[in-house]
Amino acid sequence: MTRKTVPDLLRMKADSQKIVMVTAYDYAMARLVDTAGVDMVLVGDSVGMVVQGHQDTLSVSVEDMIYHGRCVSRGLQQAHLTVDMPFMSYQVSPAQALENAGRLVREGRAQSVKLEGGRRSAAAISMIVEAGIPVVGHVGLTPQSVHAMGGFKVQGRGQEAADRIMQDALAVQDAGAFCVVLEMVPEDVAAGITEALEVPTIGIGAGVGCDGQVLVCNDLLGMDLSFHPRFVKRYAQLEETILEAMRDYAREVRSSAFPAPEHSFRRKSAAQLRRVY
Ligand code: KIV
């Protein structure tokens, strides 16, 4: 089986086939989402919040992304692997962006890299694409700018702001990105951008008019039931399932119900030992 490529994903837009993207951060989850048949797996810098427990994505390093990219890559047979460029790994200069994108491909096993920002990131995107590394853009809410944006808020509600997001999406496409993530923008704005772009859009909190959708795997699986933003649909309640399993395990260890004889090993009988020697 071969991994989905950039031409495969571009063809999906041309054929009006929705693109399914989900995040994963380790081998175990990557194997499962790949077996389920998703098209693209994103090692998001959301790893900083979901796996590392930070309040935002800002402390994630290139080394973190390489480590998680390698783990996820080993679990994929058919899905395309995109790895996020973390905060301050591409903003300094296009040359810095290219160097780090190259590391994510060579060391992190990425097939493409994703970076945030529209017009402000166009020069970095061009340089990476010219070196033969496919780029996914990311406009609308860009979590690495959380302090400038004043929180994780919907972007593009007013006409001027909506126009700016459209200009950003077009700039990212013109710079050579093969795909653009639209995060937390009104559905009509996202649908208009999707119509205007030749490359696919992948929405998160951007309505059904995008060419595909992405969710954080922990959110769609209900791993933290205290976190439920409007744009997340939970397809499972794994927090409850995991808590129940862990409590059962703890109870059985404390009562000596586990391990039972079928989980234990016995020494060879005297008769078996005589046969061996
Ligand atoms: O880091 C991430 O998981 C992302 C997605 C939410 C698009 O960028």
Side-chain angles (χ1 to χ4, degrees):
M1 215 181 273
T2 54
R3 298 267 198 88
K4 287 204 171 65
T5 62
V6 169
D8 293 332
L9 297 164
L10 292 173
R11 213 171 303 119
M12 289 180 79
K13 173 154 181 156
D15 295 346
S16 302
Q17 249 183 287
K18 292 275 187 181
I19 298 172
V20 182
M21 185 191 231
V22 69
T23 69
Y25 312 102
D26 62 24
Y27 166 81
M29 188 62 73
R31 190 185 68 80
L32 293 174
V33 302
D34 188 82
T35 305
V38 306
D39 303 304
M40 295 178 85
V41 173
L42 171 66
V43 180
D45 61 353
S46 50
V47 71
M49 301 171 79
V50 174
V51 175
Q52 298 173 345
H54 296 293
Q55 292 299 307
D56 53 46
T57 59
L58 303 180
S59 27
V60 176
S61 67
V62 172
E63 278 66 31
D64 291 336
M65 298 311 295
I66 289 171
Y67 171 77
H68 289 282
R70 292 174 85 90
C71 295
V72 167
S73 171
R74 289 183 205 113
L76 302 185
Q77 307 247 4
Q78 59 79 31
H80 178 95
L81 175 57
T82 303
V83 177
D84 254 345
M85 299 199 69
F87 181 57
M88 292 316 292
S89 69
Y90 58 93
Q91 290 92 339
V92 175
S93 67
Q96 181 219 22
L98 176 57
E99 182 147 353
N100 283 320
R103 288 195 67 198
L104 294 179
V105 171
R106 198 178 49 217
E107 300 171 53
R109 314 300 304 151
Q111 290 170 274
S112 60
V113 299
K114 175 166 84 59
L115 56 92
E116 296 182 4
R119 284 159 287 185
R120 67 181 160 93
S121 297
I125 293 172
S126 293
M127 193 151 184
I128 298 170
V129 170
E130 273 166 29
I133 299 173
V135 172
V136 177
H138 184 156
V139 301
L141 172 66
T142 47
Q144 292 174 17
S145 310
V146 60
H147 296 311
M149 289 179 159
F152 299 107
K153 294 177 180 164
V154 177
Q155 303 294 309
R157 281 205 151 117
Q159 191 53 51
E160 251 179 58
D163 290 346
R164 273 200 301 274
I165 297 174
M166 170 69 88
Q167 293 312 314
D168 280 335
L170 287 167
V172 160
Q173 171 179 265
D174 291 349
F178 77 95
C179 182
V180 183
V181 168
L182 304 177
E183 181 162 357
M184 298 266 276
V185 297
E187 56 183 352
D188 62 315
V189 176
I193 294 172
T194 302
E195 183 93 22
L197 293 193
E198 281 166 31
V199 300
T201 58
I202 309 283
I204 174 163
V208 76
C210 299
D211 296 308
Q213 297 292 327
V214 58
L215 281 176
V216 167
C217 60
N218 296 50
D219 295 346
L220 83 86
L221 293 172
M223 303 273 280
D224 178 356
L225 296 180
S226 68
F227 180 70
H228 199 181
R230 182 184 169 89
F231 61 86
V232 170
K233 178 171 176 182
R234 286 194 195 120
Y235 290 85
Q237 316 273 339
L238 284 199
E239 176 169 329
E240 280 168 10
T241 309
I242 292 170
L243 282 177
E244 200 179 308
M246 288 298 167
R247 285 180 182 133
D248 284 350
Y249 168 63
R251 195 176 331 102
E252 291 201 353
V253 169
R254 289 180 186 128
S255 69
S256 298
F258 176 81
E262 65 267 28
H263 309 119
S264 308
F265 303 97
R266 255 148 269 136
R267 290 168 57 131
K268 286 195 164 92
S269 66
Q272 281 171 318
L273 283 173
R274 266 198 301 281
R275 242 178 280 131
V276 172
Y277 299 109

